Amino acid sequence: MTGEVQQSGVRSWIDRHRLVAFLLITYSFTWMIQGIVAAMGLEASWTQSILIGFGGFGPPVGAAVVIWASGGDLRKWIGQFFKWRIGAKWWVIVLGLPFILLGSGVILFVALGGPIDLNSFPFPGIYLFVLVWGTIWGGGQEDLGWRGFMLPLLQDKYSALVSSLIVGVSWAAWHLPLFLNAATTQGAWPLSQQLIWVVSILSGAIIWTWMYNSTGSVLAVAVVHAGINGMGIFHPADVEALAPGGVPDMALNLLAEVTGAVPLLLFAVLLVVVYGGERLADGEIPGPEVVGLD
């Protein structure tokens, strides 16, 4: 009897503090997994990547617990990840946007004197693997929590733009363990690159909101997320020039990062101008009802 009362009390607290509970569970799950990865001293490898990807399930785990405790509809929530009927126009945007942003960044990089090596392109077919991996394990899985749960709950009280920035700050801070682990890509970045990444992720939060509010599909968000994450493999920057003799050229690396972030930032600003910060989309936008909550 005592156990049932305690469980009821926990569920009641979660229901009253849905967003706080979501963040607590999300951060705890991810930081525990990534803390273990750091403690194991794993170098960059498939094992490290798989474990870090497992930690990336913190947001959907947090969302699932809160929806369950609050009496929401788990099937309705997870169904957002399988919503593929969004129209041909939106799939063209989902699949084409990463290439547009990459192309814009490359043009800017070259225009400002960045060195390129057109012989360095990888096999194009690898992008399909990057897209699938990124959607289900390399970043896209996060979106069931950030976009499929946290964003609609926030939009019940705040504008789409404010909600996006709240999600973006929470999303950025959630990555902290990766920056504290010297064996990860993020852990090796200089401070300037880390700050540029924050700008990129806040811009991405606005873009992802536009995609989600326009389609109601977490799948669309996850695919475009994976596509933009994976575009770096096709950047034609001359690797040898960026790190002559294995020593990074700080100025050229900074140029590559800035020119990669600027298109994201400009596109996010364009979306706010075109659609307005209230909705960041045409028509009605998702609220708590998409997960069966009032």
Side-chain angles (χ1 to χ4, degrees), residues 55-273:
F57 282 87
V61 168
V65 171
V66 174
I67 292 169
W68 165 78
S70 302
D73 190 332
L74 287 167
R75 181 176 295 182
K76 195 172 184 180
W77 163 68
I78 204 168
Q80 297 176 97
F81 198 83
F82 298 95
K83 183 179 179 181
W84 60 272
R85 293 184 176 179
I86 58 175
K89 180 192 79 170
W90 280 106
W91 278 117
V92 169
I93 293 172
V94 167
L95 297 173
L97 182 60
F99 290 96
I100 293 172
L101 294 174
L102 171 69
S104 302
V106 169
I107 290 171
L108 189 58
F109 179 72
V110 173
L112 294 176
I116 62 172
D117 177 11
L118 296 179
N119 296 316
S120 64
F121 279 107
F123 171 59
I126 197 175
Y127 182 63
L128 179 60
F129 169 78
V130 170
L131 202 61
V132 173
W133 172 265
T135 298
I136 63 176
W137 199 271
Q141 78 274 29
E142 306 165 13
D143 293 309
L144 257 175
W146 301 124
R147 254 58 64 171
F149 175 76
M150 186 179 184
L151 180 63
L153 262 65
L154 284 169
Q155 289 185 148
D156 194 42
K157 297 182 178 180
Y158 308 106
S159 71
L161 178 58
V162 170
S163 298
S164 300
L165 295 177
I166 294 173
V167 171
V169 170
S170 303
W171 185 26
W174 173 76
H175 286 83
L176 181 61
L178 297 181
F179 288 87
L180 299 178
N181 185 349
T184 66
T185 301
Q186 294 90 340
W189 287 346
L191 179 60
S192 59
Q193 192 168 349
Q194 293 176 352
L195 293 175
I196 292 168
W197 175 85
V198 172
V199 173
S200 295
I201 207 166
L202 292 177
S203 301
I206 294 171
I207 297 170
W208 287 199
T209 293
W210 162 70
M211 181 67 66
Y212 177 70
N213 282 357
S214 297
T215 65
S217 171
V218 172
L219 176 62
V221 176
V223 173
V224 80
H225 184 172
I228 290 176
N229 278 356
M231 277 292 97
I233 64 174
F234 292 113
H235 198 295
D238 189 332
V239 176
E240 292 187 6
L242 291 177
V247 179
D249 183 313
M250 300 303 293
L252 284 180
N253 277 274
L254 182 62
L255 177 64
E257 293 302 322
V258 169
T259 53
V262 165
L264 279 169
L265 177 59
L266 292 180
F267 188 62
V269 171
L270 178 64
L271 291 175
V272 175
V273 171

